[in-house]
Amino acid sequence: MTAFIENDVHAVAPEVAISFFKGIMPFDTLDEETLRSLARHCRIDFFPKGTRLLTADVTELTHLYFIQRGGVKAFLEDENGEVTLKDFRGEGAYIGALAIIRGTPANLNIETVEDTFCFLLPRDIFLGLIEKQASFAHFYLKSFSEKIVTTAYNELRHHKVTRRSNEDLYLFSIRVGDLVKTLRKVAASATIQEAAALMSEHRVGCLLIHDAVDAEKIVGIITDRDLRGKVVAAGLDFQQPVQTIMSTPVQTVLSQSLCFDVLLKMMDTGIHHLAVERAGKIIGVITSHDIMLLQGHSPYYLFKEIRGQQQISGLYPLANKIPDVIRGLIGEGAKAGNITQMIAILNDHILERMLTLLEQELGAPPVPYCWLLLGSEGRREQTFKTDQDNAIIYSDPEDETQAQAAAAYFKAFAAKAIDHLVNCGYPLCPGEVMAVNPLWCQPLSSWKRYFERWVSEPDPQELRYATIFFDFRAGFGEAALAESLRTHLNQHIKGRDLFLFHLARQSMETRAPLSFFKNFIVERDGEHKNRLDIKKQGLTPFVNFARVLALKFGVNETNTLARLKALRDGDWIQAELWSSASEAYELQMQQRLVHQLRQIEAETIPDNYIDPADLSDLERRMLKDAFTVIERLYGVLDQMYPVT
C-alpha cells in the first residue's frame, strides 16, 4: 500500500476548478464570484492505486477531498483485520466532510482503488461555506444522516445477523422489471380455446388480453385458474371469446418497484399475477412464482401454507416459522418498516385463517362483528411474539333475544380464539386487554360510550386506555364497524383540548435515556442491570408523539411511521423533523428486532433490554443521536400544550 505523502500537490487553473464545481451539488448553487474565490484556494493532487488517503481515528483533516477522476473505497476494520463496511466513491464524490464539520479525526479508512486525481479544498474555506451558505449546511447534514443510517444498518446486518451459507436473497436488490420475460398476450376477441392453446405452447400460467383493435391497450388478464374454475368446472363453451372470463382491470406495478414491495402487495391483496408497467406501457407480468424462486425462506411460501391450512391446529407450527422469514429479510437489508409490515401481514393471515375456521366450527355469528387489533398490533408494529391486544366490536342487536345470543356466541368465540392464539405463540396480555374479557367484547354503541367517557374524563386510567385502544384497526370481519368507531372518535375528540393536553403531558413523562453528559441511562440494579429498555425509553416517545398529533389533526393512520408522514404531508410538522424522527424511530426498531432475533436463535425469551456495551461505536453514536430527537418532539408538544 502506498503511503500518503502530500508532496505532489499542484495549483490548478481557476477555470478548471470552477468548471468542476459547477457540476456537483451543492457548489452548483454558488454565484460566479464565490466560485472564483474558492478556485483560487483549490489545489489538485494525484494518488496512485492503493494509496491510503485517510486512516480512521488517526488522520486529521486539513482539506476536503473531491474526486475529479478515479475512485476510492471507504471501510472499517475490526480487531481481527476483517473489513466490515464498504462504500465505493467515484468522480464528483467528496471525502472528509463529516470529520471536518465535527472537528474529529477521519471516521473511515479511505483507500484509492485506481489511479485517482482529487481537488483539495482547505478546511477553513469549507467551514466558511457551511457557516455562510444555508444550502451547504442543509445538503451536508442531510447527506450525513442518510449515509450514516445506511452504514449503521449495514453494521447491524453484518455483525449481529450472521448470514447462512445457503441463503441467496434478492428481494431488496432486484426490481420487477428485471424479472419480466417476453410479453404474452392475445386479443379479447380470440376464443378461450385459442388462448388456452397459446398458454400451453409457451408454457405460461397467464395471458394478458389486449383490445381487439388496439394491440397496445391491455384490457384484462386470464390465468390457468380462470380456465379451471370459469371454463372447465362451469362447462363453458371453449369457443366463447376470452374476454368473457378475463379479470379486469389489470392490477399493475411499476417496473422500478423492488420485489419486496411487490411481494407485500400480492400478500395483502391475494392477487398472484401483476402486470408490470414502464413509461405508461405494459411490458409483461410478474407472478408470485417468479418471486418465490428468488428466496429459499420466501415469505410467500409461508403465506401459501397459512392460506391453505384446513385445521386450526395446523396453524400453530406455521406461526413459529415467522422468525426464519424475518431473519432472511434482516440479512438481506430490510429496514424496520419493511420488517414490521411483513410481520403484521403474516400475523394477520394467521388470524384471518384461524377465525375463518373457527366460524365454520361454531357456526355463523348472530350479528356482524369485527375483531379489533390494538396497541402495537393495531399500529402494525409487532416484533417477535408481542403480547395479545385485541377486542370484539359487533353490531347493535335488534332486540333482547338477539343481544343474549350475541353475548353467548362471542363469549365462546373469544375464549377459543384466544386459546388458539396462545398455541400459535402469541402470549396473553398481562392487563387482560383481550376479547375474552367481557369489557372488551361489546356492541358498537357500548364502544362509542367508552370512547366518549375516556375523552371526557382524562384521568390516568382513561389516558392509559387511550394509548392502547385509540390505535385500533380492523383485523377480521366487518371493517365498516371499525371505520364507524374511528369516525365517532374523530368527531368526538374535536375541541377536546383538555384531553389532548393531559395525553401530551403524560407522553412527556418518559425522558430520553441520556444523561447531561450524553451517557446512556440504564437500569441501576435488578434483572436488567446496566441495560436500557429500548421500547419504553426509546421507541414509546415517538409512538406517543405521533398519536397525540394524529388525534389532534384527525389522521386515521395508526402506524407510527405512516402517522409521521401524514403529519408532514399535512404541514402539521416540519419536513426536517419528520425526516429526523422517522430515521431515529426506524433505527431503534431495527436495534430491537435484531436484539430479539439473536435471543430467539439463542433459545431465550425475547425482550427489549439492550446492553450498550454490546453495541459498536457507530451503533452507540447513532442511538445517542436518535435519543436526542426525543427532546425535539417534546419541544413541539410543549409549545402546543404548555403548562400554564
Side-chain angles (χ1 to χ4, degrees):
M1 181 177 66
T2 306
F4 170 34
I5 303 174
E6 193 171 339
N7 59 359
D8 197 18
V9 181
H10 305 283
V12 61
E15 289 73 19
V16 175
I18 291 172
S19 176
F20 173 79
F21 284 114
K22 278 185 175 180
I24 62 172
M25 296 177 62
F27 291 86
D28 57 351
T29 64
L30 297 177
D31 58 59
E32 192 74 22
E33 182 180 350
T34 303
L35 278 173
R36 190 162 295 278
S37 173
L38 177 153
R40 286 197 296 269
H41 294 89
C42 196
R43 299 291 184 267
I44 195 166
D45 197 1
F46 168 72
F47 304 97
K49 178 180 178 180
T51 301
R52 173 69 68 90
L53 296 183
L54 307 178
T55 299
D57 300 322
V58 174
T59 306
E60 298 289 342
L61 274 295
T62 59
H63 292 78
L64 180 62
Y65 295 70
F66 294 91
I67 301 173
Q68 190 242 3
R69 187 183 308 164
V72 303
K73 65 177 179 180
F75 60 96
L76 290 176
E77 292 177 299
D78 62 18
E79 59 275 10
N80 299 318
E82 181 182 348
V83 175
T84 56
L85 298 173
K86 290 184 178 180
D87 177 20
F88 292 95
R89 304 179 191 178
E91 295 177 7
Y94 61 83
I95 304 165
L98 177 59
I100 289 176
I101 290 176
R102 289 192 168 186
T104 63
N107 61 305
L108 291 170
N109 300 309
I110 304 291
E111 186 176 301
T112 57
V113 294
E114 57 184 301
D115 291 348
T116 301
F117 288 87
C118 290
F119 284 107
L120 275 63
L121 186 66
R123 169 195 182 102
D124 292 343
I125 301 298
F126 176 62
L127 288 175
L129 288 170
I130 291 290
E131 183 179 348
K132 296 174 184 176
Q133 303 283 341
S135 61
F136 263 68
H138 177 75
F139 175 85
Y140 282 101
L141 290 174
K142 183 176 185 295
S143 177
F144 294 155
S145 173
E146 292 171 350
K147 287 187 176 181
I148 292 173
V149 166
T150 299
T151 300
Y153 280 124
N154 288 339
E155 185 159 306
L156 269 173
R157 255 189 355 256
H158 293 299
H159 277 290
K160 303 297 171 64
V161 183
T162 305
R163 191 112 173 199
R164 291 172 179 167
S165 59
N166 64 342
E167 288 180 352
D168 193 12
L169 308 173
Y170 303 98
L171 282 181
F172 294 89
S173 59
I174 292 183
R175 301 187 184 276
V176 291
D178 299 328
L179 297 180
V180 173
K181 301 179 180 67
T182 305
L183 176 62
R184 304 295 182 188
K185 58 183 179 179
V186 69
S189 56
T191 67
I192 295 172
Q193 186 174 27
E194 289 170 338
L198 192 60
M199 291 171 67
S200 178
E201 177 186 349
H202 295 295
R203 297 182 180 180
V204 294
C206 67
L207 279 179
L208 290 170
I209 312 301
H210 66 76
D211 184 79
V213 178
D214 184 357
E216 296 299 315
K217 183 179 180 182
I218 302 299
V219 296
I221 187 173
I222 63 164
T223 68
D224 47 12
R225 179 176 293 183
D226 293 324
L227 294 177
R228 293 194 304 270
K230 297 179 181 178
V231 182
V232 178
L236 190 66
D237 184 356
F238 293 174
Q239 299 307 310
Q240 288 288 320
V242 72
Q243 65 185 11
T244 59
I245 64 167
M246 70 181 184
S247 298
T248 187
V250 180
Q251 297 295 312
T252 64
V253 292
L254 296 177
S255 64
Q256 290 301 303
S257 300
L258 289 173
C259 287
F260 178 81
D261 295 325
V262 176
L263 175 63
L264 283 180
K265 183 170 183 176
M266 288 178 174
M267 294 173 65
D268 211 21
T269 62
I271 297 173
H272 311 296
H273 300 76
L274 297 169
V276 179
E277 182 180 339
R278 178 183 292 152
K281 182 179 178 181
I282 302 298
I283 62 171
V285 174
I286 185 78
T287 71
S288 56
H289 178 71
D290 296 330
I291 294 182
M292 286 166 65
L293 292 177
L294 293 177
Q295 275 192 303
H297 294 289
S298 170
Y300 208 87
Y301 279 114
L302 182 54
F303 167 73
K304 286 190 68 177
E305 284 190 87
I306 294 169
R307 292 287 293 266
Q309 189 53 241
Q310 297 301 314
Q311 300 291 330
I312 294 179
S313 59
L315 294 170
Y316 301 167
L318 297 184
N320 292 322
K321 291 184 178 182
I322 293 178
D324 255 351
V325 170
I326 301 309
R327 185 190 194 287
L329 297 179
I330 294 175
E332 188 175 357
K335 290 189 177 181
N338 301 134
I339 297 165
T340 53
Q341 195 174 1
M342 179 58 75
I343 292 174
I345 285 177
L346 290 172
N347 286 343
D348 285 358
H349 281 299
I350 287 175
L351 176 71
E352 179 183 353
R353 192 66 192 140
M354 185 262 288
L355 294 183
T356 298
L357 293 171
L358 188 56
E359 273 191 19
Q360 294 175 6
E361 177 187 323
L362 297 181
V367 293
Y369 75 99
C370 181
W371 184 278
L372 295 180
L373 297 172
L374 315 170
S376 62
E377 291 181 271
R379 296 191 301 272
R380 291 187 174 89
E381 291 167 3
Q382 302 109 301
T383 53
F384 295 101
K385 299 299 184 287
T386 307
D387 292 346
Q388 291 188 46
D389 283 313
N390 47 55
I392 289 177
I393 178 174
Y394 55 88
S395 295
D396 288 299
E398 295 179 357
D399 51 40
E400 183 60 28
T401 300
Q402 194 177 58
Q404 291 178 2
Y409 179 92
F410 291 119
K411 179 181 179 180
F413 184 84
K416 285 182 174 289
I418 297 302
D419 283 346
H420 288 312
L421 287 172
V422 170
N423 290 332
C424 284
Y426 303 101
L428 294 171
C429 172
E432 296 186 344
V433 180
M434 296 176 291
V436 73
N437 184 335
L439 285 173
W440 315 131
C441 182
Q442 294 288 331
L444 176 61
S445 57
S446 296
W447 279 106
K448 288 182 176 180
R449 286 194 294 272
Y450 281 165
F451 279 23
E452 290 169 9
R453 186 175 76 247
W454 296 343
V455 169
S456 302
E457 305 170 9
D459 64 25
Q461 182 59 51
E462 266 61 46
L463 292 174
R464 191 180 77 85
Y465 285 147
T467 62
I468 299 172
F469 287 92
F470 288 5
D471 291 347
F472 72 90
R473 67 179 173 94
F476 178 80
E478 295 292 330
L481 290 166
E483 292 167 5
S484 176
L485 187 59
R486 176 67 62 187
T487 300
H488 184 76
L489 173 61
N490 288 340
Q491 292 173 344
H492 199 70
I493 210 166
K494 286 180 181 177
R496 299 283 179 170
D497 288 339
L498 180 62
F499 168 77
L500 291 172
F501 169 83
H502 284 293
L503 192 62
R505 301 315 299 188
Q506 183 193 64
S507 298
M508 289 186 278
E509 291 176 0
T510 302
R511 308 310 301 178
L514 290 174
S515 70
F516 178 79
F517 296 103
K518 301 301 180 185
N519 294 318
F520 291 115
I521 298 175
V522 296
E523 299 286 320
R524 294 182 178 273
D525 48 37
E527 180 185 356
H528 304 295
K529 183 179 180 181
N530 296 326
R531 298 174 184 268
L532 63 87
D533 185 340
I534 196 166
K535 178 186 177 183
K536 180 180 178 181
Q537 297 172 270
L539 289 164
T540 298
F542 292 85
V543 173
N544 289 342
F545 172 83
R547 180 189 301 111
V548 171
L549 267 64
L551 290 171
K552 177 178 176 65
F553 296 112
V555 172
N556 288 334
E557 296 283 0
T558 57
N559 176 265
T560 299
L561 289 173
R563 278 173 165 171
L564 291 171
K565 185 177 185 301
L567 292 168
R568 189 281 309 266
D569 292 344
D571 289 329
W572 292 306
I573 61 173
Q574 295 179 346
E576 194 280 327
L577 180 60
W578 161 75
S579 177
S580 298
S582 297
E583 288 175 356
Y585 177 82
E586 200 160 18
L587 182 79
Q588 290 181 77
M589 183 64 85
Q590 192 90 3
Q591 288 276 13
R592 182 187 182 198
L593 286 163
V594 170
H595 168 72
Q596 292 188 355
L597 182 58
R598 293 179 73 200
Q599 289 180 310
I600 288 173
E601 295 189 334
E603 297 184 351
T604 58
I605 298 174
D607 61 31
N608 299 301
Y609 291 91
I610 289 178
D611 187 347
D614 291 339
L615 305 178
S616 69
D617 289 341
L618 176 62
E619 290 167 342
R620 281 194 291 271
R621 187 174 83 228
M622 289 300 300
L623 206 53
K624 287 180 180 179
D625 289 346
F627 290 160
T628 61
V629 179
I630 294 173
E631 294 302 327
R632 296 178 58 193
L633 301 182
Y634 287 170
V636 172
L637 292 179
D638 204 28
Q639 282 188 327
M640 287 184 175
Y641 300 104
V643 177
T644 54

